Amino acid sequence: MDISKRSVRKIAFLTIFALACFGFLWESPNDAISRRASVTDDQYRQNAGYLSDPLKEKDTAVYWHIPKSSGSTMKIYYGCIGLTLATQSGTTAGHETDRTLQVWERTLPGWSPVKFVNVDTSKIEGVFRAKNLGLAESGLADVVFSPYPQTVTYMFTPSHQARFFALFRHPIERAVSLFYYQQVATWERTEGVYQPELADMTIQEWLGDNRRSGEAKNFLMKSILSKKSRDLIEDDLETAKEIIRTKFLVGLVSKMEESVERFDKYFGWYDHEKRPVCQEEAIKSGFNRNSHPPVEEGSETWNVLADYMSYDLQLYDYIVQLYEEQRELFGATMVG
């Protein structure tokens, strides 16, 4: 009888072990990166440079692309002045199967040729691929664009660090813009962005459908900490503030031209020959804009939105304050 019990325990142990191994072997690239980059504070501390430290030659500028916050305009602008970009466009024209890194040019309608590295850092699996190909160490990208700031730090190392910058928009204005944009964005390559059925829904109905509106709820907090909205707590807000204060050069969509001027001075792009022309054509004119009815502050819809993104609203208020505090950075040379 004792032998039988030992045998049963042994079989049970081996079964659990086998299932665990099977699950590990079959995890998706998304799961793999989430597992490997699970320690948020350490990832930022080690692999992202401090804003106050001089830029190093091996650092790479990383733009946190927050949807409907002028990210597309920033891609056009920096491509226009001649920088090499890591974006979702990098793996078009068959480059998603390339086995080594390379820079190639693509001519966008109405623009001069833009240089891309053949990676797609707009997707988590694309970050995984870029890491394996050695993007950070290669120095090929002048700017990496990604909506996943915490995850993208996985690509970097203490000797090849990310240098973060971003444009921030009022969270409610951003959510409203996203709602209307998804109704008409037939040109979007990213699955799930174009949702024409939203035209038959109110914003309140959209917010109540987590499958459709989950991206909008506390997007800033979720993205910077790699946490689900329902798991956020008050301490997370303080963590997010500290990460942005120490690691991010912040800009505001409401102060677009001044923000871009700060970015260019900080990263050493201000003296690019094509900058004045590109600024006129991209920054002042805008790109990928979508007109839509506004939501009035204090209205029922505004208040519903405010409830859904309370953490993001607090974080945004802090970012506006931080934007003013960062003015002092531009009284000295920023490139060491």
Side-chain angles (χ1 to χ4, degrees):
M1 187 68 177
D2 290 341
I3 295 175
S4 176
K5 287 182 178 179
R6 284 198 298 270
S7 298
V8 170
R9 286 196 295 268
K10 184 176 181 180
I11 291 170
F13 173 79
L14 292 173
T15 300
I16 293 171
F17 180 77
L19 287 172
C21 291
F22 182 81
F24 173 78
L25 291 172
W26 284 92
E27 69 180 353
S28 69
N30 289 20
D31 293 335
I33 290 185
S34 296
R35 176 175 55 79
R36 296 178 191 180
S38 60
V39 186
T40 302
D41 290 346
D42 285 347
Q43 290 296 124
Y44 283 112
R45 187 181 303 113
Q46 297 174 9
N47 297 344
Y50 284 93
L51 181 66
S52 58
D53 289 346
L55 291 171
K56 301 184 295 293
E57 186 178 352
K58 293 181 179 179
D59 291 342
T60 301
V62 177
Y63 183 86
W64 179 11
H65 185 175
I66 303 168
K68 303 314 299 169
S69 300
S70 299
S72 296
T73 297
M74 298 301 288
K75 291 177 185 177
I76 290 293
Y77 171 68
Y78 285 123
C80 176
I81 68 174
L83 300 186
T84 300
L85 314 181
T87 74
Q88 66 187 91
S89 296
T91 53
T92 55
H95 287 285
E96 69 276 6
T97 59
D98 293 344
R99 295 190 177 184
T100 59
L101 291 174
Q102 60 178 282
V103 175
W104 64 286
E105 288 190 352
R106 177 188 178 192
T107 301
L108 302 176
W111 298 88
S112 301
V114 177
K115 294 180 289 185
F116 295 100
V117 185
N118 57 334
V119 295
D120 179 2
T121 48
S122 71
K123 300 177 181 177
I124 293 181
E125 59 267 30
V127 172
F128 188 85
R129 176 173 175 268
K131 168 66 174 179
N132 289 339
L133 291 174
L135 178 64
E137 294 81 1
S138 74
L140 292 177
D142 293 312
V143 190
V144 172
F145 284 82
S146 181
Y148 305 107
Q150 194 270 333
T151 301
V152 85
T153 59
Y154 171 74
M155 287 196 324
F156 295 90
T157 67
S159 58
H160 295 82
Q161 292 185 313
R163 288 295 189 127
F164 284 105
F165 67 119
L167 283 170
F168 295 89
R169 185 178 184 181
H170 192 287
I172 292 180
E173 294 177 359
R174 192 191 78 83
V176 173
S177 178
L178 180 67
F179 171 70
Y180 286 106
Y181 179 76
Q182 289 183 316
Q183 299 176 25
V184 299
T186 56
W187 52 88
E188 282 284 358
R189 294 174 54 219
T190 305
E191 183 179 357
V193 174
Y194 176 51
Q195 299 183 40
E197 63 276 13
L198 294 184
D200 298 322
M201 300 177 68
T202 65
I203 294 182
Q204 288 93 331
E205 290 171 337
W206 173 66
L207 287 168
D209 187 338
N210 282 321
R211 182 175 62 86
R212 298 185 187 279
S213 66
E215 187 274 340
K217 298 174 183 177
N218 289 313
F219 176 86
L220 300 180
M221 289 283 291
K222 290 187 301 184
S223 299
I224 201 165
L225 299 176
S226 287
K227 296 185 72 170
K228 295 180 180 179
S229 185
R230 65 173 179 266
D231 296 331
L232 294 171
I233 60 176
E234 287 296 328
D235 287 349
D236 291 328
L237 179 60
E238 298 309 310
T239 300
K241 287 180 179 179
E242 182 64 10
I243 290 170
I244 290 180
R245 184 185 70 82
T246 59
K247 301 290 185 175
F248 278 79
L249 179 60
V250 303
L252 302 175
V253 172
S254 60
K255 297 184 178 181
M256 182 83 165
E257 291 182 42
E258 182 184 44
S259 297
V260 173
E261 183 174 322
R262 290 189 187 187
F263 297 158
D264 291 353
K265 288 181 177 178
Y266 181 85
F267 287 106
W269 303 326
Y270 191 78
D271 294 327
H272 267 269
E273 180 182 353
K274 296 180 66 177
R275 185 179 182 277
V277 174
C278 296
Q279 185 180 36
E280 187 69 34
E281 294 182 353
I283 303 302
K284 294 182 180 179
S285 300
F287 184 79
N288 205 23
R289 290 178 176 173
N290 178 45
S291 299
H292 58 78
V295 172
E296 297 296 327
E297 184 172 357
S299 66
E300 180 182 355
T301 300
W302 181 280
N303 293 335
V304 170
L305 284 160
D307 286 340
Y308 271 111
M309 50 195 68
S310 59
Y311 283 117
D312 270 11
L313 286 171
Q314 295 176 75
L315 184 59
Y316 179 76
D317 285 343
Y318 176 75
I319 290 168
V320 172
Q321 173 189 330
L322 189 60
Y323 180 80
E324 297 304 320
E325 293 176 3
Q326 287 185 356
R327 288 186 185 278
E328 67 185 43
L329 294 174
F330 299 92
T333 302
M334 298 305 302
V335 179

